Amino acid sequence: MNYFGLLFLLTCILFGLACPLNRNLPDEMVGRWQNGNVSMLQEKNTTTGQVTAGNGSTFSYRFFGDGRFEFVGYMKSTMSGCTTELFNDKRGRVEIDGSRLTLVPSKNLWRNTYGCSPDSNKEKDQPLDPETFAWRTMKNEYGQQMICLANDNGETCYRKEEN
């Protein structure tokens, strides 16, 4: 760190300022990554006649070069005309230590909606617990760039989206 960078950091610490820290992520990680699916089976609402996919999901990470992340998860399931939706909006910062990635959230909002029981709908800020993964990048069989995140629950890979 050069003299001016150190002086800037010390000024922030001494005066309690919210100064941005340079938390550069590896270039290969920066971008939007997505994983999801839609059911081929369809469900028809017998009241409205509307036909929709029976279920589907999308999960998306966006990693910024300055060390921030955003995660959006959405799942939808329709059975017997009743739709259940789960939504998660998580944001915060990323800490990298070699092949280990820790997500430190500053926001973790969950929303559950139940089409046939709206009184049961919930929206709640969940605990801001850090999550640690082993991470790697690779190309899939179609040549698409992937990022894979693994923890004790298994590994999930996400396809890089074009900007």
Side-chain angles (χ1 to χ4, degrees):
M1 181 179 288
N2 66 27
Y3 172 77
F4 290 107
L6 184 59
L7 183 61
F8 177 72
L9 182 60
L10 288 174
T11 302
C12 291
I13 292 169
L14 288 174
F15 292 100
L17 301 175
C19 298
L21 297 177
N22 188 6
R23 292 189 175 114
N24 292 332
L25 295 183
D27 289 341
E28 62 189 309
M29 179 184 282
V30 175
R32 185 168 183 256
W33 306 85
Q34 188 164 341
N35 179 338
N37 64 64
V38 176
S39 172
M40 295 296 287
L41 301 175
Q42 295 185 328
E43 178 80 18
K44 182 175 184 177
N45 183 315
T46 56
T47 304
T48 65
Q50 182 180 9
V51 177
T52 62
N55 61 58
S57 63
T58 184
F59 303 97
S60 172
Y61 279 99
R62 186 164 180 197
F63 296 108
F64 298 87
D66 64 0
R68 292 176 297 125
F69 81 92
E70 296 175 353
F71 170 82
V72 174
Y74 175 75
M75 294 172 51
K76 174 185 171 183
S77 177
T78 302
M79 294 177 63
S80 304
C82 293
T83 299
T84 299
E85 295 175 288
L86 303 173
F87 173 77
N88 181 213
D89 179 6
K90 191 181 294 188
R91 296 160 191 249
R93 65 177 165 56
V94 181
E95 295 175 356
I96 298 286
D97 182 13
S99 64
R100 309 276 325 141
L101 158 83
T102 301
L103 303 176
V104 182
S106 57
K107 175 183 183 177
N108 188 6
L109 173 75
W110 273 91
R111 181 180 307 127
N112 304 3
T113 58
Y114 308 98
C116 292
S117 181
D119 291 342
S120 299
N121 292 351
K122 298 176 198 151
E123 183 169 305
K124 183 177 179 185
D125 289 318
Q126 293 293 329
L128 302 175
D129 298 329
E131 296 176 276
T132 299
F133 299 93
W135 75 278
R136 66 185 175 97
T137 58
M138 60 174 253
K139 289 197 178 202
N140 67 10
E141 62 271 22
Y142 306 107
Q144 296 170 313
Q145 190 68 28
M146 307 285 286
I147 190 168
C148 299
L149 305 177
N151 61 15
D152 292 341
N153 298 322
E155 181 179 66
T156 304
C157 295
Y158 302 83
R159 179 183 68 253
K160 187 161 193 176
E161 295 294 310
E162 298 299 323
N163 293 332

